[in-house]
Amino acid sequence: MTTVAAGTAKSVSEQYGSAIAGVYDDIYGELDIESPEAAALRGLALMTEEPRVIVELGVGTGRVLGALGRAVAGTGAARLIGIDGSADLLSRAAERYSDLDLELVEADFSDPGLTEIVAPGSASLVLCVCASFSMLPDRSAQAATLQNIAAMLGRSGVAVIETHSPAFVHEVIGAAPTSMFVPYARHESGLVCFSSVESGIWTMRQVWIDGAESTTVLEQSLLTPPEALTELAAAAGLRVVALTASFAGGEYLGSASPLFAMTLVPERSDVDA
């Protein structure tokens, strides 16, 4: 595993990762390679030209990149690069997907030094999904991340950013603090979430309960409407070719969709939706 210099976004990732690493996979589970999500990712990967370079920003424990790596196994050589600011999460990824040749890099993915890891114009597919984009601390970090994505992508490359839908958050959470409990199938396990929204930031204090043990994780999401993401992408030289309800597809329905996903290509690309 490689480490590069820390930035503000990496500090946020380190704090989040150290708190959640031990229970992340319990909360989110493994992505089944037969699932619609894995099928959608496989389709995106296979539509790109070989040799394939697939990058995930905010790779965490590898549940997305690892599932994708297994899904495209045997379809041609692919270089799989996972970047995250948390050493704790990356060590889980390395252990969990030891059967794959994942290149795991501990780095702030809004840092300009990323071009030393992924050569300019070399990436076939760049993913920033599961709301990793919203954990960047401010719009300048989001803009810098999009500039990195634009620099990485080859002419026929594709990027997918999936993040929280502000319309949904405002509709369901509202302005007043709320709390909810999500039970899990395993006996005596579940997730309690205390939420509030202020100045465009959704703050969630989550408590994972597993029998007599509990783990508390603080997460802050910088809410980014599709219009704002479109503007940031355009400023980085990227254009939108699809807006869907998640990286697996589906119609985006505003306040009825918890997430949205945006598929981006370089302005110079001839790729269509």
Side-chain angles (χ1 to χ4, degrees), residues 108-230:
D108 175 349
F109 49 79
S110 64
D111 192 290
L114 242 56
T115 52
E116 298 176 12
I117 300 162
V118 184
S122 67
S124 314
L125 175 62
V126 178
L127 303 170
C128 187
V129 297
C130 303
S132 293
F133 190 76
S134 74
M135 293 186 71
L136 291 162
D138 51 45
R139 290 284 185 255
S140 63
Q142 291 183 335
T145 296
L146 287 162
Q147 288 164 5
N148 279 338
I149 291 172
M152 291 176 194
L153 285 175
R155 184 179 179 85
S156 61
V158 176
V160 180
I161 294 179
E162 179 191 60
T163 191
H164 295 126
S165 166
F168 176 86
V169 173
H170 288 300
E171 177 76 19
V172 174
I173 305 301
T178 61
S179 60
M180 64 182 72
F181 174 70
V182 181
Y184 279 60
R186 195 166 72 242
H187 182 56
E188 293 189 344
S189 67
L191 187 67
V192 181
C193 185
F194 303 97
S195 297
S196 62
V197 180
E198 185 176 356
S199 301
I201 296 176
W202 180 19
T203 300
M204 295 159 278
R205 189 173 299 279
Q206 303 172 84
V207 183
W208 169 251
I209 300 169
D210 189 0
E213 298 183 357
S214 65
T215 301
T216 300
V217 179
L218 178 65
E219 180 176 345
Q220 290 189 308
S221 173
L222 177 60
L223 297 174
T224 307
E227 307 79 44
L229 182 50
T230 299

Side-chain angles (χ1 to χ4, degrees), residues 4-15 85 106-111 137:
V4 300
T8 303
K10 186 177 182 303
S11 298
V12 172
S13 295
E14 286 173 342
Q15 294 166 16
E106 183 187 350
D108 175 349
F109 49 79
S110 64
D111 192 290

